[in-house]
Amino acid sequence: MSRQTTSHPSQDPLVAIAAYAPAPRIPDSLQPVRDQILRDGTRVTTAAATYTATKNTRAPRHRGALVGAVATGALALTVGLAVPWLSQDDAYATWTATPTALSGEALADAETACDIVVPAPAATTVLAEQRGIFTFTLRTDDREVMDCLLDEDGTGGLSSTNLDSLREPTKGEVTIVTYFTTWNPNNGHATAIYGRTGDEVSAVNITRSNGFKIEATVSNGWWAAWWPGDTDPDATVTMHHSDGTSSKPVNVDDPTILDVQ
């Protein structure tokens, strides 16, 4: 799978950074980077920018570690900027806020890659999406739901949650089954969130505390989304219904949607 980057000099380069960490305002350290990019226009240059975000110290829900450990405290996230988006050397530069559904050979390849991590011959895929070079799948059998986030080289991991401990959402609501940050040495931190949907839910959006919006995949009574970087305790979930109505944004920690076990 090839990786491509596109330059859009007219767009604010901080849009590319916004996916990585919540920020109440533009960090002072990033102002010179933006000014340089907008000044240089289409000239291909690379500048380093460092943003330090305070981690959410709560424990990941209902899961073991994937690849590597998530420590509490401060997370230093360094990204390279190639005008005006992230460097093509950064795997997360291929990530998109809007997913692509996996089907056919691409879906079969993703399922095979997940089986290499943890074999699940009796599992059925209920949700499968792609964002850049990364695939994310949810599979269920008669006992559990298994999430699997992998890059094109099969780097990543898988974990599971027991189905019998989950509650059914009402027709117009969603539940959050798990919300976690993982890490691997190739790509760094990534955060995923997923859960179940009622029959009348047609779409789900995540809005991070910095205003960055992420479109979830909704499929077979499940929904899921993920992004580069850390968890965001102030992120909200908005449910869109088949009748054209939408819910008010609900905080990810709201007990009305959090599937607490």
Side-chain angles (χ1 to χ4, degrees):
M1 187 182 306
S2 62
R3 188 185 312 167
Q4 298 179 341
T5 57
T6 304
S7 292
H8 301 281
S10 63
Q11 299 187 41
D12 192 324
L14 293 186
V15 173
I17 299 171
Y20 279 73
R25 63 179 180 84
I26 298 172
D28 293 339
S29 61
L30 294 182
Q31 292 283 4
V33 176
R34 180 177 64 175
D35 293 344
Q36 176 185 338
I37 291 171
L38 296 179
R39 182 173 61 251
D40 291 347
T42 58
R43 182 155 54 92
V44 178
T45 58
T46 300
T50 301
Y51 177 70
T52 302
T54 301
K55 276 186 56 63
N56 172 24
T57 56
R58 65 184 179 182
R61 305 183 191 283
H62 322 315
R63 67 186 295 108
L66 293 184
V67 182
V70 180
T72 58
L75 163 65
L77 178 63
T78 303
V79 295
L81 291 179
V83 182
W85 305 109
L86 297 172
S87 166
Q88 64 180 356
D89 295 328
D90 191 321
Y92 287 147
T94 69
W95 178 88
T96 58
T98 300
T100 299
L102 282 176
S103 61
E105 184 178 350
L107 174 58
D109 289 346
E111 292 171 332
T112 299
C114 291
D115 278 334
I116 292 174
V117 179
V118 177
T124 299
T125 299
V126 294
L127 183 151
E129 64 162 48
Q130 183 162 356
R131 299 176 192 259
I133 66 169
F134 296 86
T135 61
F136 185 86
T137 61
L138 288 180
R139 297 183 295 166
T140 63
D141 56 19
D142 59 351
R143 298 182 300 107
E144 56 190 0
V145 55
M146 293 156 279
D147 58 84
C148 181
L149 175 63
L150 300 174
D151 67 14
E152 62 183 351
D153 297 323
T155 301
L158 179 150
S159 68
S160 63
T161 300
N162 291 332
L163 288 172
D164 60 8
S165 61
L166 304 181
R167 62 187 172 92
E168 291 283 346
T170 64
K171 291 183 178 181
E173 76 166 354
V174 303
T175 63
I176 295 176
V177 171
T178 192
Y179 180 37
F180 65 90
T181 293
T182 187
W183 175 87
N184 72 58
N186 288 353
N187 305 314
H189 290 81
T191 294
I193 184 170
Y194 69 84
R196 306 177 90 173
T197 65
D199 294 340
E200 296 177 357
V201 176
S202 58
V204 177
N205 289 334
I206 305 296
T207 303
R208 302 197 62 192
S209 60
N210 60 3
F212 195 89
K213 295 184 183 298
I214 301 165
E215 180 181 333
T217 295
V218 176
S219 175
N220 295 305
W222 294 86
W223 70 279
W226 74 273
W227 58 83
D230 200 10
T231 52
D232 185 348
D234 296 318
T236 60
V237 177
T238 302
M239 295 153 265
H240 305 283
H241 306 121
S242 53
D243 64 0
T245 62
S246 299
S247 72
K248 293 181 179 180
V250 181
N251 188 272
V252 292
D253 280 334
D254 191 308
T256 63
I257 62 172
L258 192 62
D259 205 353
V260 179
Q261 297 185 39

